[in-house]
Amino acid sequence: MTALTTFADVEAAAQRIAGMVQHTPLLESRLLNDWLGQRVLFKAECLQTTGAFKLRGASNFLAHLAEQDALPERVVANSSGNHAQAVAKAASLYGLPATIYSADNISAVKAAATRSYGAELRVYPTRPEADAAVAKAAETPGTVWIPPYNHPDIIAGQGTATLEALHDAGKVDAVFAPCGGGGLLSGALLATRALMPDARVIGAEPMAANDAARSLQSGQIETLEGSPDTLADGAATPSVGTHTFPLLQQLDDFYEVDEVQIAYWTQWLHHLLKLHIEPTCAMTMAAVAAWAVNTPPGHTAVVMLSGGNISQTSMQKIWATDYLQQPPIISQQEPQE
């Protein structure tokens, strides 16, 4: 049976990585608060080193090994996004060589950033080929494979983002996070249940990549077939993990968000917060809007802005239609059950 990650693990992670990651700020928009009738605080992990929360998990993974005097000779990882940069950066902090295996659809910006942190990037025609290559590389003696989400140290590290947010925010009534493999959302659940046990924890994922929603409905891990076509590429993982799923099953609510809503809220958060925010975390606002209209005014929510690394191609798709002509009509936001 898989041992569940605990809040004690999150607290330990916070101690380990205190000098390795940025304590990111909480931001808010008075105009958005007025529209929603609620106070919404945004944890700006888009301002984190490497531009995303993923550095927390990768840093905790290696810091825990260092604590046990068990650092490897080298590390490997498979990723086409924020995890690649996080592993590259975390490895550099320990002077470890890192090799990242990716499909050739990795954005030029993320590829350049991964190399800039000192990692070697090996590119393959498809994700399955990259996954097979990293699995083979991990068999080499002295090599450790750092997974993107399905590991207790990764979950605990990601949970430090919510831990920080709740310490800074004071009392909150709800915490929202996007769901890909479930690392950030699982960590958010652990921190919130310990520090704000009465607060609701709510997740969101793209309707076009709804493996988590299907898994929660069926009670077992479901896997996507093929590569999903969604603006929220950070949430397009094939499935949640054996370590994250039992925690996701404890969520208070979960939403599936269509592509129009993802583009809509990405544009509006860029405009209102003046931040470069990934569609993956902007989509969570569809869930926030549904919560806001079904909650008496005057409550407070924390929204995890997971990252800010967006390719030029994604930006063009996001802005293909100008949604800023239509301010949010909150009563029209409906949960996608």
Side-chain angles (χ1 to χ4, degrees), residues 37 51 77 93 95 98 101 113 116 126 138-139 153 193 197 206 223-224 230 239 254 268 270-271 276 315 318 323:
L93 296 175
Y101 296 78
S116 75
T126 66
E139 296 173 358
D153 287 339
R193 288 287 186 262
T223 302
L224 295 175
T230 176
S239 69
F254 197 86
W268 270 106
H270 280 203
H271 178 66
H276 203 58
M315 284 294 289
I318 291 162
Y323 292 111

Side-chain angles (χ1 to χ4, degrees), residues 288-310:
V288 176
W291 165 82
V293 76
N294 290 300
T295 301
H299 289 73
T300 300
V302 167
V303 177
M304 308 305 294
L305 294 181
S306 53
N309 297 314
I310 314 174

Side-chain angles (χ1 to χ4, degrees), residues 1 42 47 49 78 92 94 102 109 121 130 156 171 182 189 229 236-237 248 254 272 281 290-292 301 314 323 336:
M1 183 176 179
F42 295 93
L47 301 179
T49 306
N78 50 324
S92 74
Y94 285 97
S102 173
V109 170
L121 181 63
K171 184 182 184 302
L189 180 92
D229 183 15
T237 48
L248 299 178
F254 197 86
L272 293 169
C281 49
W291 165 82
S314 293
Y323 292 111
Q336 303 291 333

Side-chain angles (χ1 to χ4, degrees), residues 11 15 18 32 50 57-58 61 75 84 90 92 147 157 191 207 213 219 224 235 251 266 273 313 329:
E11 291 182 304
Q15 293 293 321
L32 181 63
T50 74
F61 187 101
V75 298
S92 74
M207 190 179 295
L224 295 175
L251 293 171
T266 303
L273 299 178
T313 300
I329 302 175

